[in-house]
Amino acid sequence: NFLEMLRQYSDVIHFAFSPCETPPMGQTLSRFRRYLLRAREMPRLRKVCLAARREGRIVIYQHVSPALFSLPFLHGLRSYIYLDWTRKLYEPIVKRKMSSAMTTALHSCVLRNVSGVLAFTQAAEHSLIQDYKVPPNKIHRIPMPFDVFGAALSKPNSNGPLRILFVGGDFFRKGGEVLLRWFDGFRKCPIELTVVTQTDLCLPAGVRVIRNDPKCSAKDELAKHDLFVLPTKYDAFPLAIGEAACAGLGVITSVNALGAAEVIDTGLNGYIAENESDFIGTLSELAQDRARVEKLKIHSRRKMISKFTYEKVFNRLEQVFVDQASHERYIGGHYRSISRI
């Protein structure tokens, strides 16, 4: 979505690393091997960075790792990293280290050497300051962009069965078993449940299952439902939450979806459950209060239009660039354009 927004509103050049090699079945590519493959592309990346400097372009990196390989070329570049998570973000939830001291120090160095960091969530902003010692004045909060006006809309459904959608490639990390336990025991009103996942499962009768390509969106399914539910165990900013709100669905998720509060106004367009029992209780109440569900749906769509459209996010991005340029000096005292990226 971020790249598509830039394509629509700016003169953007897109650099992508070559795809990593596919490891043998059942194996994963080691981090060292990934870094080695990326390092081999540094000459090509250097050419792009030098061209960007000559043309006065702003350089935006998707997360920290791509910027790491540009570190020797950052001087004189107006550069930003955008992100919605860090490696340290989940550690309090999963109760284990997810970033070594060396990796954290390396990422901290990169984050402090770019012009600024664009953080999509308050949780990411907090981690950047607390874990990576990024000065607060280098961090800029912007909303995550969504194709709000390209979404098919859920229709009013006051009388038919409540249509619930769950999307999670990793069914168990996304908390799918919590939803199934609720569905298996709830008998108070008709429910239609759709599960979109890559996980091989034996599901209860009455559950519709869609095996999805993890690289593809489930957008086509959204408009066929009323509620999107995601009792996830840990997540940064699940895109499916924003996509569901774009389609006009009410949303119920867990406090472990760390970016959910960016989209959900509790009680207005959805709910963020504190724990499993809170999630189950909220879902049971909503299933029996269809008028309330319809109000959530209306407000979800309104929230996304008010803040998350490509136009509004790009305007915020431009303001970040303008504000920062007003008190920084570059070659000639300014950079040439905020619409060349």
Side-chain angles (χ1 to χ4, degrees), residues 110-165:
V110 175
L111 287 160
R112 287 184 283 109
N113 274 279
V114 293
S115 305
V117 185
L118 310 170
F120 287 140
T121 69
Q122 185 176 15
E125 180 184 21
H126 177 76
S127 179
L128 289 167
I129 296 170
Q130 185 75 25
D131 302 318
Y132 295 89
K133 311 306 177 189
V134 180
N137 64 351
K138 293 194 75 167
I139 303 170
H140 309 278
R141 283 289 305 281
I142 66 169
M144 182 179 285
F146 287 91
D147 185 14
V148 179
F149 297 114
L153 302 184
S154 173
K155 296 179 180 178
N157 178 32
S158 300
N159 300 316
L162 181 65
R163 305 167 300 178
I164 298 175
L165 177 66

Side-chain angles (χ1 to χ4, degrees), residues 198-237:
Q198 276 291 293
T199 307
D200 290 327
L201 298 167
C202 181
L203 297 178
V207 178
R208 177 172 168 251
V209 183
I210 298 174
R211 306 292 180 190
N212 73 318
D213 180 339
K215 295 181 181 179
C216 295
S217 169
K219 287 183 181 179
D220 292 343
E221 282 299 314
L222 292 170
K224 304 173 186 176
H225 295 84
D226 306 302
L227 278 180
F228 178 80
V229 296
L230 190 73
T232 183
K233 294 175 181 175
Y234 63 93
D235 254 308
F237 193 154

